[in-house]
Amino acid sequence: MRRIIVMVALLCAFVAGAAETPSIPAETKEQPFDKAQGEKDARMKWFREARFGLFIHWGVYSVPAGEWKDKKDYGEWFLEQTKMPVSEYKKFAKEFNPVKFDAKEWVRIAKDAGMKYIVITSKHHDGFGMFRSDMTDWCIKSTPFQRDPLKELADACKDAGIKFCFYHSIMDWHHPDWGQLRKWNDLAKGEPNMDRYTEYMKGQLKELLTRYGPIGIVWFDGEWEKPWTHERGVDLYNYCRSLQPDTIVNNRVGKGRAGMSGMDKDKGVGDYGTPEQEIPPTGFGAGVDWESCMTMNGHWGYNKYDQKWKSTETLVRNLIDCASKGGNYLLNVGPTSEGLIPSPSIERLAEMGKWMKVNGESIYGTQASPFVKTPWGRCTRKAINSRKTKIYLHVYNWPADGKLVIPGLKNKVKRASLLADGKALKVKAEDSSISITVPSEMPDKIATVIVLDVKGEPRVVVNNP
Ligand code: JFZ
């Protein structure tokens, strides 16, 4: 199985690298990227270990804060959904003055939550740049704010040891050259031209990839409209990596994504899959990287009426769920036009951080569960060396009889303990399972982690295929 996955991954890399792209400038062609799996493994190392990141959707749509006329459900899609003339939408830039923005504080909030990277919208579909771009005035330069939030965040991330990443929309409702011009874009004149548009986008990406230090991930989006093609995706992928060879690019740079499930169905480009608002039912095997992005309430961009917040328990368990399937969890906040992360988000992130401080070892640098089913919760594992593995059991349903049963584990369990206090627990090996004696009260109601030290690689017998 593993061999097949590696072969598929290599084949994808080959297809991506070898595609013929006649309309593409010579210097971005034939970059010898991804020739070796080892090169990709080295580049993906931090991402695979990180498991947890902060997504930030921030733009001038935070000024209307989700409300327009008689509707209160808008977010970052405000411009498209209201069909407001672009000339009118521009007023929001004039009102965007997030004087309470404190990059260090945002980074502290992320870091204390246990997050290892931050992905912020450099440009969303409305085309507005949250950085000082020389390519257009439709950016932070046209606001009273004048500062460069991305620069401040990049610097704060560097100081804190957090990877700085940006989300950049391919689709652009504002630019007159984006191939699918909106009728309500009253400022656009003439015929759209995708070659010109691509040059513009590359210009901005060059700014972002040369002025803000090392970029962890370029997180593309808005690739689904017709004018964007596989060939343009391959070219853009190569372009980003020609500027920063170590950067990671998500699969929304190309056209292969299969809807919200986020994984590539065919002709994929990019380094990893991006399920959106869902966690896949199972992982995809070693060598297939992915990251589920999710909101904390029902919106990406700030909506002042949306108070339907997920519980900390749900958020922590989502993170565990992703890790147990070999993926990352990218959790979103939508800051206000004052520059503040909403306090319900801050509270939940702080609570997640408390759990992570105690249990982070069972998340960072772990691999997917060796079990098909774990009726009491989830599981991750970590190879310590060739002779030693740690298996982390994330228990949600505490056993009423004080016996936690791990079905089908064949390894010798050298030690079982609670991760929180390191105290040893009694282990009993039975015929086709292991049972562990646990305290009668569930120590951590969100998820209690039990560590098993086992000999060698996990060996699991599936009794109920
Ligand atoms: C996209 C964005 O449109 C959205 O605003 C947000 O940034 C999210 C992270 O990514 O979400 C999508 C993308 C595609 C579809 C729906 C939502 N789609 O194809 O139906």
Side-chain angles (χ1 to χ4, degrees), residues 29 101 108 126 156 187 196 229 232 249 287 314 322 353 368 381:
K29 254 205 227 166
F101 169 64
R108 185 197 62 74
D126 66 1
L187 297 180
R196 260 191 333 240
T229 61
R232 289 190 189 277
V249 180
T314 297
C322 289
R381 64 163 139 164

Side-chain angles (χ1 to χ4, degrees), residues 281-282 325 369-375 377-378 407 460-465:
T282 62
K325 293 163 183 171
S369 170
F371 300 102
V372 176
K373 270 190 184 159
T374 44
R378 296 286 181 274
V460 176
V461 177
V462 184
N463 293 323
N464 48 346

Side-chain angles (χ1 to χ4, degrees), residues 55 57 76-77 124-125 167 221 224 252 260 276 300:
F55 214 175
H57 275 71
E76 75 287 355
W77 276 66
H124 206 267
H125 309 328
Y167 164 115
D221 192 31
W224 57 84
R252 297 190 187 189
M260 304 292 268
E276 178 174 321
W300 299 98

Side-chain angles (χ1 to χ4, degrees), residues 2 9 14 28 39 59 81 88 125 136 148 210 212 216 268 295 306 321 326 329 350:
R2 178 176 297 175
F14 174 76
T28 59
E39 182 272 347
Q81 290 167 340
E88 191 184 337
H125 309 328
T136 178
D148 186 334
T210 57
Y212 296 83
T295 50
D306 185 351
D321 199 13
Y329 188 46

Side-chain angles (χ1 to χ4, degrees), residues 196-216:
R196 260 191 333 240
Y197 176 73
T198 303
E199 283 314 303
Y200 165 79
M201 190 167 48
K202 282 184 172 175
Q204 286 207 322
L205 288 164
K206 187 169 193 172
E207 295 174 334
L208 290 162
L209 285 159
T210 57
R211 298 177 179 173
Y212 296 83
I215 301 300

Side-chain angles (χ1 to χ4, degrees), residues 160-338:
I162 298 284
K163 294 271 181 193
F164 178 71
C165 318
F166 59 82
Y167 164 115
H168 206 76
S169 175
I170 290 172
M171 173 169 75
D172 191 318
W173 302 323
H174 170 273
H175 201 284
D177 280 325
W178 171 252
Q180 202 162 308
L181 194 59
R182 267 61 183 176
K183 284 202 184 68
W184 34 266
N185 188 347
D186 57 338
L187 297 180
K189 307 265 179 288
E191 279 296 301
N193 179 315
M194 280 301 288
D195 286 336
R196 260 191 333 240
Y197 176 73
T198 303
E199 283 314 303
Y200 165 79
M201 190 167 48
K202 282 184 172 175
Q204 286 207 322
L205 288 164
K206 187 169 193 172
E207 295 174 334
L208 290 162
L209 285 159
T210 57
R211 298 177 179 173
Y212 296 83
I215 301 300
I217 302 167
V218 185
W219 212 106
F220 285 109
D221 192 31
E223 83 290 11
W224 57 84
E225 289 193 345
K226 257 272 186 56
W228 195 248
T229 61
H230 171 72
E231 287 70 27
R232 289 190 189 277
V234 172
D235 174 54
L236 197 60
Y237 175 88
N238 288 335
Y239 183 70
C240 291
R241 293 205 46 216
S242 73
L243 295 170
Q244 287 206 21
D246 291 337
T247 201
I248 294 170
V249 180
N250 73 347
N251 68 341
R252 297 190 187 189
V253 69
K255 299 290 280 189
R257 175 162 68 106
M260 304 292 268
S261 83
M263 304 308 286
D264 288 338
K265 55 179 182 322
D266 52 30
K267 280 215 293 195
V269 195
D271 298 312
Y272 73 90
T274 49
E276 178 174 321
Q277 297 288 40
E278 64 180 50
I279 297 171
T282 62
F284 305 96
V288 180
D289 299 292
W290 58 274
E291 168 203 66
S292 281
C293 59
M294 287 196 176
T295 50
M296 245 191 234
N297 55 5
H299 288 83
W300 299 98
Y302 180 60
N303 178 302
K304 66 179 168 190
Y305 293 103
D306 185 351
Q307 298 300 329
K308 262 184 120 176
W309 300 96
K310 291 168 192 163
S311 69
T312 302
E313 179 185 277
T314 297
L315 298 172
V316 170
R317 290 184 181 184
N318 282 349
L319 168 60
I320 295 169
D321 199 13
C322 289
S324 78
K325 293 163 183 171
N328 288 8
Y329 188 46
L330 184 63
L331 181 57
N332 183 72
V333 296
T336 69
S337 60
E338 284 190 304

Side-chain angles (χ1 to χ4, degrees), residues 77-138:
W77 276 66
F78 183 98
L79 179 56
E80 170 100 337
Q81 290 167 340
T82 60
K83 299 194 169 34
M84 181 181 269
V86 168
S87 60
E88 191 184 337
Y89 186 74
K90 290 213 158 172
K91 71 180 171 197
F92 294 131
K94 294 276 164 283
E95 294 167 35
F96 186 72
N97 194 17
V99 290
K100 294 186 180 162
F101 169 64
D102 179 347
K104 284 199 168 81
E105 180 62 5
W106 285 17
V107 172
R108 185 197 62 74
I109 288 167
K111 192 171 180 170
D112 286 355
M115 292 160 156
K116 302 289 190 187
Y117 60 107
I118 292 179
V119 185
I120 183 165
T121 46
S122 47
K123 177 186 93 159
H124 206 267
H125 309 328
D126 66 1
F128 182 84
M130 288 296 286
F131 62 108
R132 296 188 70 89
S133 176
D134 296 332
M135 304 291 297
T136 178
D137 286 337
W138 185 229

